[in-house]
Each structure stands twice: as C-alpha cells, then as structure tokens.
Amino acid sequence: MDNNQEEKVMNSLKEIEIESSTDNKNNNKAKKEKKKPSSSSSDKKTGGGGSKKKEVKKETGLGLTNKKDDNFGEWYSEVVVASEMIEYYDISGCYILRPWTMSIWEIMQTFFDAEIKKMKVKNCYFPVFVSGSALRREEDHIEGFAPEVAWVTKSGDTELDLPIAIRPTSETVMYPYYSKWIRGHRDLPLKLNQWCNVVRWEFSHPTPFIRSREFLWQEGHTAFATKEEADEEVLDILELYRRVYEEFLAIPVVKGKKSELEKFAGGLYTTSVEAFIPNTGRGIQGATSHCLGQNFAKMFDINFENEKGERGMVWQNSWAYSTRTIGVMVMVHSDDKGLVLPPKVASVQVVVVPVPYKDADMQGIFDACTNTVKTLNEAGFRAEEDLRENYSPGWKYSHWEMKGVPVRIEIGPKDMANKQVRVVRRDNSSKMDIPTSNLVEKIKDVLDDIQQSLFDSAKQKRDACIKVAKTWEEFTTALNEKKLILAPWCDEEEVEKDVKARTKGEMGACKTLCTPFDQPELPEGTLCFASGKLAKKWTYWGRSY
Amino acid sequence: MDNNQEEKVMNSLKEIEIESSTDNKNNNKAKKEKKKPSSSSSDKKTGGGGSKKKEVKKETGLGLTNKKDDNFGEWYSEVVVASEMIEYYDISGCYILRPWTMSIWEIMQTFFDAEIKKMKVKNCYFPVFVSGSALRREEDHIEGFAPEVAWVTKSGDTELDLPIAIRPTSETVMYPYYSKWIRGHRDLPLKLNQWCNVVRWEFSHPTPFIRSREFLWQEGHTAFATKEEADEEVLDILELYRRVYEEFLAIPVVKGKKSELEKFAGGLYTTSVEAFIPNTGRGIQGATSHCLGQNFAKMFDINFENEKGERGMVWQNSWAYSTRTIGVMVMVHSDDKGLVLPPKVASVQVVVVPVPYKDADMQGIFDACTNTVKTLNEAGFRAEEDLRENYSPGWKYSHWEMKGVPVRIEIGPKDMANKQVRVVRRDNSSKMDIPTSNLVEKIKDVLDDIQQSLFDSAKQKRDACIKVAKTWEEFTTALNEKKLILAPWCDEEEVEKDVKARTKGEMGACKTLCTPFDQPELPEGTLCFASGKLAKKWTYWGRSY
C-alpha cells in the first residue's frame, strides 16, 4: 500500500465510520433491538438460529466492508482499525498502538524477556540519539540505513551545531561503549538487550505493524570471545523467535539463513524466521538473529586480552523482533468477520455474554455470567463479561468476533435450567454446550484446541503454497501463482541480482527469503533453476514485505 | 552542574579510571593479593579485622575520590558511574542506563503497572512524533515546553515539508484521538497509560537521572465525565507515587499541591510528591499527578453526550513518574563508599563471598556459597555468589559496597565449622553471625530492617532540615542554612514571583515546593512571611532541582 492508498483507506475508514463498542451513535439502534426478543442459539423458543442471527448482525451495522480474498490490502487496514488495535495517526507511517495491541505485545514480551534473562542477558537502555560520527563509523551499515535516518537539527528555535540522528537500530549507539567496557576475557560474554522504539523514515508502502516509521522492538547486542559461542547464541535466539511465532502467534515459520544480498548491513551472516502470507503470496521476514562477526569490533575497536595475554577482537551478535509480529498474526489468522486471536496472546480469551429473554430471571443470568468469569479468572484464564444493557446479544457477538476473542460463552435461561453454558469458537464458529460443573477443564481444552487448530490451519495453507521449481519456467509460473518457491540455487550473488532484475515489475521483484536449515535432499548434479550452474542448496524465493 | 562541570567530571572519570569488576587491569593486583592469606572478619586466625581489611581496600584502588559532604555534585556523578548505573554518552545530557539501573526501573514498573491495571488503566503506545500544529493547539502548554522541543527536519538527505517535533510529553499527541474515541458517557472513563521515552532538550545543568535530555517514564492520561472522578483519581495516583518513593525507594516525601506558578502548563491544578536532598538543601519534585480540568478538552474538542442527551466537556488528568526517581534514591541514601540500595529495588539483595584460607577446604566453601544462594533464591530473595578466583575477598567487599548491595554474606572455614554465615549490612556496616539453619528467616528480617532503617534515617535527616519561618528574616536565614522551609503564605502569585526575584542568585531562586495536604494548624491572624498579608496556608519553600 503506498501513501495514496493509505490516504484512501484512512478516508474510507472515516466515511464508513466503523462502529466501535464505544460509539454512542449505536445506542438508538441497540435500544431498538432490546425491545425485541433477543436471539439466542441456546434458547430454541426464541427461534434463534443461524438465519435469525445473521439478521441481527446485519441490523447492527457491524462488520467489514472489504473481504480478505477480494481486496487484501484494504481488508487488512480495515481489520486493524475496526478491531481497535490501531488508530491511524496524523503523521503518515506512524500508528497508534491501542490497548488491544499492547496487551499482545506485553504477553510476548513477558515470555521473551524471561527466556533471555535465563540466558544471562541483561536489560539496559541506550539513548535514542546518535551522533553522525558514530552512525557513520561502519560503512556498509550506514549505507544500509542512511536513506531512512531521521535527523534532529533544531531544539526550540535554536539550530544544533551538528545534526543528531534518531536510532534506526543501535549498533553504532552501543558499540563505542562495548569498546570501553570490554578489556579482558573475563568481561566476556557481554549480553545486553533493550526494549525500545526505533525510527526508520521509509517513504514507500507504510502499513500498520508491517512497515511503519516508528516501531517497538527488542534489540539484543552480545559480544563473545569465540565465534563458536556467537554461532551458538544466534541459533538459541532464533529458536526463541520460532517459539514466539509458532507457540504464541500460531504461525508456522521457516528457520534459515539469509543470502549475502539480504543479510544485515555490516554483519557476517543473518539468520531469520520467515513467515508467508498466502493471500498475497509474499514472504515476510519475521525476526532476525545476526552474527556480526568481527566487523563492528574492528570499526569500534572492541578487543580484549585472552588468558594467554594475547589481544583479540570480540565476536558479536545482534538480534531483534518487533511489533511487526502482530501484523503477521493479523494477516495470517483473521477473516471477514474481523480479527482472530490465538488464545495464548489474547488479552481476553473468553467473553461471557448474557442472553436476555422475556420473563427470564435476568439477575440470575447476570450473576451466572459474573460467576463464570470469576471461576475462569481464578483458574488463570483471561475472561471478561459483557453485561452492557444498551447492546443486544447479536451486536455483542459481532463486536467480540471483530475483536477476535477466541471463545464466547452465552448464558440464557435454558442454560441456567440445564446447568450448562453455550460455548462458541471464534476460529471455526463451532458451538457446544458444556456443563457448568466441568467449566474450567473444558475451556482449557477448547482454548488449547483453538491454539493448535490455528497453527495447523495456517501451516496447511502455507504448505499448500510451497512449490518446488527446478527450472526458470517452473519458477516464473509459480511466482505468478503467488507461491512460496523452493528452488535449487548456485548461491551466487550475481545470480540473485539477475533474478531480481528479471522479475522486477508492479508487484516488486522476487528475491531469496532464506536458505532453510532443514534442507531437502539435493541429488548430485542438480542444477540451479536460474543460472544452470551446479546447485549448492535449496533456497526459498518469493516476493516479500 | 553545568556543561563545563559535566565535561570536567567526565574527564576526571576517565583519568582516575574507575576500576570496575570487569577491568582486566586489576588482574595483576588481584593475583598478587591471592598469594597472601586473605583477610576474613569471620576467621580470626588470619588476623583479619578492621585494620587489615582497610589495607586490602587501599591496595585494590577501589573507592570514590569525592566525598558526599565535601563535593556533592562530583560525588554524585562519580557514584552513578562507579556503581555501573550510568555511562556518560557522547551527546551531552544523554546517559546510558546500564543493567544495574534498569533492574531498579523494572522493579518499580512491575509494581506500578500492576496497581494501575487494578484501576482499569490500560497500556497503549502513541507515536514519538507530533506535528507542529497539534503541539501548538494548547497555548499555555506549548509555551511551557516550546524552548525544549527537539525538531526533526530531515530524513536521509531529504528536507521534510514540515518539521516534526519529538514528544516532550504526550497531551498534544493523544488528545486529538480522545476527541475521536469519546462520544458518549459510556466511553468514559477512558484511562490510558504508556511507558516510553520523552525528550526535553534542556541546555542547563544536565545531571544523570535528574535532568537529562531523554528520559524514560510512564505517562497516564485519563478522561472522566465528572470533576469528582478526576479529583479522586489524582489522589489515588499520587498515593501510588508516594508508595514508589516511601515503600520501594525508602525516601520520605511530602504530598501536596503546587502553586499556580509551578503547576503543569495548561492544567487546572498539580499535585506532587516532593523529596528533599539535605546535602544541597534542595527540594526535588518526585512525581506529579495533574488535574487538567477541561482546558485541553476545550482545545481538542473532547466532549460527550451524557445520560440526558446533553453535551459536556470531559475532565482530564495526566500523571507521570520518571527515571528521576532513581537519581533521588542515589542522592538520598548513598555514601562515600558508593551506592546504597534499598533491598526492595536491589537487583542483587544478597551477595555471597567465599573467604579462602590456606589449607581450607575451598571446594567445601564454594559449595556452601552456592547452596546459600540457592536457598535464598528459592525463598524468593535475589541472591548471587561471587566465586571469581582472580579477586580477593577485600576487593569483592569494596566492589559490592560500591554497587550498593544491601547484604553481604561471607563464608570462611570457621563459618563452615560453626554452621553459620557472617552477615554484613551495607547501610550501617554492622556484622552478625547467623546459623545456617535459620538463614532464610534471618535474612528476611535483616532485609526488612535495612529497608525500614534507610527510610527512618532519611526521614530523620529530612525532618531535621525542616525549618518553620514566619518572617522574611527567618526565611532568608533558613534558606542560607539550606533548610526546607515551611512558611505561612498568602497564596498570591505576585508574592511568589517577588520571593523568586529577591532570592535569585548563584544558587538559583527559591520557590514554592508544595502546599502540603497535611497542614499544621494556622492560628488565626497569622501573617504571610513575605507579604505581611493574612496567611492562607502553610507552604514548603526552597531551592530545587
């Protein structure tokens, strides 16, 4: 999505006035609905069922105007706003992360922060500002970032003597001090991490979460006496990134190594977890764990004395994941009804909605809702009731579906009579009645199953997109079909450049995504799909975000 | 401390080369010491005792060159660097927060974040950038912040169409969206908070933690239907700030209201917790909880429809505490041996040091150290052992004293034989032997007692500085004696301006710190110390940070 498109979406969002839960304009509609007998799938007397429910939804005016399969870009922009994750901001490429987003970020942060602390990584905070001279110390590095660097030149009405850059990443911010702190082998390893904001003033294709001018991330920066230790940590961290994606966000990723062309500017080699968006046929770099080798150590003079009294350069890594993770989650799981949240990262895992009915014991139903929430919260789930009297159950169903809450519990008179609750899954709309006596155990099973199903389903869809291409013709056919292409490659930089040049078009060029660590067998004599030379490895290719 | 002074300190720090634990240059010295029988206060045979220990310390070259009572500014700068809390950065007024600092920040954050979540405040994240037009919407507000605002004018080599400001605080960043999100009474209260960095490009007196161009903080921004709710929250938050200072940092604070001259730019009234630094005789604003009234609501058009269908303006609050808290902690508790950490915020509460002795069962001693740490950690304490063989016990004692660890445990052969450990308190250097069997219980008591003692001692010193001044003469005398002055005041803005003008000098002008909520009796007819008019209240006055 380019700037024009972004503006268009912002305007269209204003026009359609996404009706949020907090929008007073809904009150009249909602009140009107309240007078009618409410639909309840767990109360047959009202005639509640599939058809009736659809009517209610229609009435409420909730729902997305774009379809995921028809118009992915607009659908995405609409989902992130309508689910109250994102608000567009008056500076292009900057977005407001609303509480519904931040709670997901905090859950991942709690996990990752605890894991790196086990690895003896310590948190710190370096300034957001970096002097031009420090920023320019590593040539390849600055070449990679320079066009995107935002510069502060004034404070109040005063021109600064020298412009000061805002960190696009903190290698050049931190490493002058690594040079100071590291003297001997006993100072190693040095393992620091910070949770912070960074700024990359990109002008093309701003997209919430995926490509924004400011984003939140963690950046780890470590230094070791030996390459072996650095190599090992690169993979340990990559495994944590895999777990963030697969265990928390329920998104399958491929672990692998980036090509020379795609590696981190100034580093030795880059590993990544790569996700794939079937709808657009684009790969997306999920998180990166770089071995910087000794390149920055040379530029920043980070050396140490070893046990034998000899001086050596340190081996360094840096690694990061960002709020982009959340965008990938939205793209992979969400649907035409809105967001779909994996239970492990949902700030509300279960929402409990009372289903009123004429002459029903409403206080009893409300109490049952409150007690259900209490029981679930005490059992360690994140549950909330929605007892608002100015919205119909149907409106609430749509609202919480839009926000992606994994499980809805409905409680009506019949449920009360039968000592049960009606459970509805967000991921597949399936319904079941579960006895109140068995609530905690069953809800645990349902949430576990949703988490697993989301992953399985995403993996199935991703896998269905993988296409092996052994020739240029197979390659271009697969590319046109928006496939994730696995091809035998000679691993030559010039060949990758050539492929990029030959596939350049409206959709953007095709490039390597990664060379997967998990390599299929490469029969001797297999040729590179692009150069016809002997292939050295299987590599994933595709267009990407 | 002005820029010149800051530079001087930085240079002097470089010259004296603070010997950190990670400084390889110590190795030779340390090795030399190892050959000698090590001193141990718990092993009389070595002749270890006061005099011997002092020698070891001297040899190691650890320790501060400045004294808290002689040269407070330089002492402070030296403590924060030598304890490895702060590293000076190559951009003046910016500082690196090292892990020893961040762990304190995180402990406070965990407490405060949980408390505000109980109050239904939700975390969010707004952009670091604010457009000039939004920033200028509230006149008084921008007048207060304009001179300190940093402006981004370039990205890469491209001039931006319009300069973009970096948030000095986020009222003007957030409130345009509050206007959008708040429509009806059901959208209220809206309670958001963010943990972030802010930038205030001040040119005078940069001081680590206390006055820096970038700092970390939380900023809460809430909106209510009624003034009563807003008023109540202002005080609820202020109470949390009091707890941060008194319960965590062991620093007594005064809760009160700021004068009209000192309140938040654009707000209705400001409450604060005020601390005091006896050494400099300066008050320091610890944290602020503002009621913004309806002023921003008017400027940003934040209105809502109430139950009766009438439109009204919201009542707003904003409240913040920052990494300044940590600077106050250093100033109040630390001493000529270095940092003193209250146990509740210490990332290491107990350090366990083995005391080697010729022919001793070193493996047994090391195991005892490890087991002690294990026992304490399992009991929920934060304990670490220091088993490094290249440093003497004396060096380690000094090192951990410099870093402010509340309790040191020494384990030597005699301790092993007696099934005890030697416990040394950082705050008062007192020593005691405690039986291993009773370790957890006793350490808990000791840590609790240190926490309380630090608070009591700080309160005693602070209280000793409070001076009641009823006349101008008493007032100026007290001011010259660096007192915290409590004076009857007529509460007129012109009078405060006049006092500021009359006390202006090298040390900076004296101003109101706060009008304490806890008011002593004001006998009828009491006159203002400055204007001679009828006094309306008791107010604290002093020079401040």
Side-chain angles (χ1 to χ4, degrees), chain A residues 22 25 87 89-90 97 106 117 123 125 128-129 149 151 153-154 156 177 180-181 183 187 214, chain B residues 22 25 87 89-90 97 106 117 123 125 128-129 149 151 153-154 156 177 180-181 183 187 214:
Chain A
T22 51
K25 288 180 189 130
E87 184 74 66
Y89 190 63
D90 75 341
L97 307 183
E106 286 176 7
K117 277 176 176 154
N123 285 335
Y125 186 77
V128 71
F129 296 118
V149 171
W151 293 92
T153 63
K154 269 198 336 181
Y177 301 89
K180 184 174 181 185
W181 295 332
R183 306 282 179 93
D187 303 328
E214 180 195 9
Chain B
T22 53
K25 288 182 187 129
E87 184 74 66
Y89 190 64
D90 75 341
L97 306 183
E106 286 175 6
K117 278 177 176 153
N123 285 335
Y125 186 78
V128 70
F129 296 118
V149 170
W151 293 91
T153 63
K154 270 199 334 183
Y177 301 90
K180 185 174 180 185
W181 295 333
R183 305 284 179 92
D187 304 326
E214 182 195 8

